[in-house]
Amino acid sequence: MNDDPQEHISGSPRDLPSVDEVLRTPEAAASAAEFGLDRITELVRSVLDGARAEIIEKPPSPGLRSAGRPAVLDAVMARFNDALRKLRRDRSGRVINATGVAIHTNLGRAPLSAEAVEAISAASGYTPLEFDLETGRRGPRGSGAELLISDLTGAEAALVVNNCAAAAFLVLSELAAGGEVVISRGELVEIGGDFRVPDVLAASGAVLREVGTTNRTKLADYERTIGDRTALVLRVHPSNYRIVGFTAAPSDAELAGLAHAKGLSYYVDAGSGALVDLSHLGLDSEPVVPRLISDGADLVTFSGDKLLGGPQAGIVTGRRVLIDRLRKNPLYRVLRTSKTVYAALEATLSNFARGTAFSEIPVLRMLSMTEEELSRRANAFAKMLSTEPAIAGQLRIGVVPGASAVGGGSAPGVPLATLLVALSGDRVSADELAARLRDRETPVIARIAEGRVVLDLRTVFEDEVGELFEAVRSAISRDSKGAAMKQMP
Ligand SMILES: *Cc1c(COP(=O)(O)O)cnc(C)c1O
């Protein structure tokens, strides 16, 4: 049987099977149960169209007989199975992240803890989302998670919305629409390609008043700019880039003091917003939310799926009078989040409350892996690959020093030393090998560095190592099969 979809179909258009003939094959019938008959019929049509075009473009040489119907059907089925495999691959499922980027925005940011996953499952049915079990009446939405946030940040109250962009938009719409927002020129940043501070401000109806210069802004600059029309003093953590060298900015306590002296609120968009100090991991430039609150910030917003390591969410925490205003704003109804998100967030936050965040929350666990642990895991995996003759015969396998990244626009420029398993082969390019690793039902996402495929075990879960090994083996076996076939007489 021809199972190589690349091989040219040789035959005449008359030898092509009908759509129904293909649909009657066991493979197609099973896939129709999986994806629906319409989708599979469409797939069969497009495979047959492609096969017909191929045959017409390159007919068998004159004098040669067509390969005949059974051979053409085999070739069509090989193409159909390949298309089916891609359909399965592309449905949104799990991928193995071997990039070493812990908060990978393109790979869904923070992977959830086992407890958070369980909580989502438990909350999938009916839950007391807006129900007070004490009184039997309607209660506040998502209060469990919000109480935990207040406890952990030392703030009076908290509110959860869809994401941090939504949180910032809600705060600015409620507190600054129609007025001016004073912000340092060095903080007018773009985050993640679509969150631009000036655009969010404009959309919320607030007017931007820049103060200072890109690298240096002093308290006196703020003081001079604040006037009758000022509605809010804003600081945005420039998450994904860093100004280094001759720089200056007032402290949060100074800015809060100035805002309060002028009868204004001080709002900080912290972005990643660590709930605990992460300077022992080298992440000392990440704002720590409880510290911002104790320094006098009236409102702080941050993401649920960055350094917090939870589900996508936007968290607002701060003074109760302000949080209550946000909750009453009609926009809150538009931006609110779901019961499953509250459940996952509450489970994640409870790890901080119990002091188990660094062992139970995957992002924090990955970022706090020691070099010894990384070395042990990289060397063990390299050894596993080297002791498999089918792999060792085709690939050079090495362990090389490299750097992981926090990702998610957090802590740019912070090098996280790691050890990488580097793979290269004579028969396969790095691009081709990386493509084969992705072309699986559970795709493996790797990086390429200096012409080699590099795997960073930091972001690969312990129970994924077997699958990762299998992915490398099958990526290589395509070559050995080709080689073996060529050797046949
Ligand atoms: C990431 C980030 C945002 C956007 O957060 P989302 O949760 O992706 O909406 C907003 N502000 C800052 C400072 C950020 O770092």
Side-chain angles (χ1 to χ4, degrees):
M1 179 156 149
N2 177 2
D3 63 355
D4 180 358
Q6 304 318 324
E7 206 152 291
H8 181 72
I9 298 187
S10 147
S12 119
R14 275 180 330 234
D15 296 328
L16 282 170
S18 68
V19 172
D20 280 337
E21 258 176 282
V22 177
L23 285 175
R24 277 196 300 271
T25 62
E27 292 102 311
S31 66
E34 195 179 341
F35 292 99
L37 184 57
D38 288 352
R39 185 106 189 255
I40 294 304
T41 306
E42 204 180 296
L43 193 70
V44 170
R45 282 215 174 92
S46 84
V47 164
L48 286 174
D49 287 348
R52 183 172 300 110
E54 239 180 272
I55 289 176
I56 290 170
E57 194 184 308
K58 212 170 149 201
S61 340
L64 269 180
R65 275 193 302 131
S66 134
R69 285 181 70 83
V72 171
L73 178 63
D74 273 358
V76 164
M77 287 314 290
R79 281 164 177 69
F80 172 75
N81 284 325
D82 194 50
L84 196 58
R85 200 176 45 73
K86 293 203 164 103
L87 205 59
R88 291 200 175 107
R89 177 197 67 186
D90 293 345
R91 73 183 155 195
S92 47
R94 188 166 61 91
V95 303
I96 293 177
N97 175 9
T99 65
V101 181
I103 309 170
H104 200 306
T105 297
N106 303 144
L107 301 181
R109 286 206 186 145
L112 296 176
S113 67
E115 218 172 303
V117 172
E118 251 171 61
I120 286 181
S121 163
S124 299
Y126 294 117
T127 73
L129 178 65
E130 292 181 15
F131 189 79
D132 186 333
L133 294 166
E134 198 63 36
T135 62
R137 298 211 186 90
R138 182 178 179 169
R141 187 179 172 86
S143 54
E146 290 171 359
L147 284 171
L148 268 171
I149 297 162
S150 315
D151 283 353
L152 292 166
T153 59
E156 291 171 5
L159 185 71
V160 180
V161 289
N162 183 55
N163 56 18
C164 187
F169 185 60
L170 179 61
V171 170
L172 293 170
S173 304
E174 175 62 38
L175 299 183
E180 291 179 355
V181 172
V182 173
I183 180 173
S184 164
R185 212 163 248 134
E187 296 169 10
L188 294 174
V189 293
E190 172 180 305
I191 291 151
D194 45 15
F195 183 90
R196 289 181 147 191
V197 173
D199 296 348
V200 177
L201 271 165
S204 71
V207 176
L208 172 71
R209 283 299 305 270
E210 304 169 37
V211 304
T213 60
T214 302
N215 58 330
R216 287 175 73 84
T217 303
K218 305 191 186 91
L219 195 64
D221 296 325
Y222 283 92
E223 211 159 0
R224 248 196 318 275
T225 311
I226 291 174
D228 293 345
R229 301 180 46 81
T230 309
L232 193 65
V233 178
L234 167 64
R235 165 163 278 172
V236 175
H237 179 63
S239 303
N240 50 7
Y241 92 128
R242 193 110 308 162
I243 299 174
V244 294
F246 186 56
T247 64
S251 71
D252 290 297
E254 285 173 320
L255 276 181
L258 174 64
H260 297 162
K262 304 274 185 184
L264 298 167
S265 292
Y266 177 50
Y267 159 44
V268 181
D269 178 18
S272 237
L275 271 187
V276 293
D277 193 322
L278 300 174
S279 49
H280 65 288
L281 304 178
L283 309 182
D284 45 11
S285 51
E286 282 308 310
V288 182
V289 180
R291 199 172 294 154
L292 290 170
I293 296 292
S294 67
D295 280 348
D298 300 288
L299 287 178
V300 178
T301 52
F302 57 105
S303 287
D305 54 357
K306 291 183 182 172
L307 283 170
L308 181 63
Q312 180 192 303
I315 297 165
V316 198
T317 186
R319 281 172 53 208
R320 184 178 305 282
V321 279
L322 300 178
I323 299 280
D324 285 347
R325 278 173 63 186
L326 299 177
R327 206 186 297 276
K328 290 197 189 94
N329 188 311
L331 260 181
Y332 170 64
R333 179 64 183 78
V334 178
L335 304 174
R336 75 183 191 186
T337 191
S338 71
K339 61 180 179 179
T340 48
V341 167
Y342 278 117
L345 191 58
E346 194 171 340
T348 307
L349 291 163
S350 75
N351 279 131
F352 284 94
R354 296 199 307 265
T356 51
F358 287 93
S359 58
E360 302 299 325
I361 298 177
V363 164
L364 293 179
R365 164 99 187 77
M366 288 167 183
L367 295 179
S368 51
M369 257 176 216
T370 61
E371 279 191 63
E372 292 73 56
E373 184 176 5
L374 291 161
S375 161
R376 181 179 54 69
R377 294 187 67 202
N379 281 298
F381 189 63
K383 188 164 173 205
M384 193 173 165
L385 294 174
S386 311
T387 45
E388 168 68 42
I391 297 173
Q394 307 245 6
L395 289 181
R396 282 179 293 279
I397 302 154
V399 175
V400 298
S404 316
V406 179
S410 312
V414 172
L416 284 171
T418 194
L419 284 159
L420 305 166
V421 177
L423 306 176
S424 57
D426 295 327
R427 250 200 279 267
V428 60
S429 70
D431 282 328
E432 172 62 18
L433 183 56
R436 289 183 193 175
L437 291 172
R438 283 194 308 274
D439 190 14
R440 298 174 57 76
E441 209 166 317
T442 300
V444 171
I445 317 298
R447 281 195 292 131
I448 294 176
E450 290 161 23
R452 293 183 290 192
V453 166
V454 291
L455 306 171
D456 190 339
L457 276 284
R458 187 194 289 271
T459 49
V460 176
F461 289 88
E462 207 69 73
D463 63 4
E464 291 175 331
V465 171
E467 270 177 287
L468 184 60
F469 173 80
E470 219 25 75
V472 175
R473 178 161 58 191
S474 74
I476 286 311
S477 74
R478 294 195 198 180
D479 273 355
S480 48
K481 193 171 67 188
M485 276 166 24
K486 280 189 200 100
Q487 280 157 18
M488 281 194 303

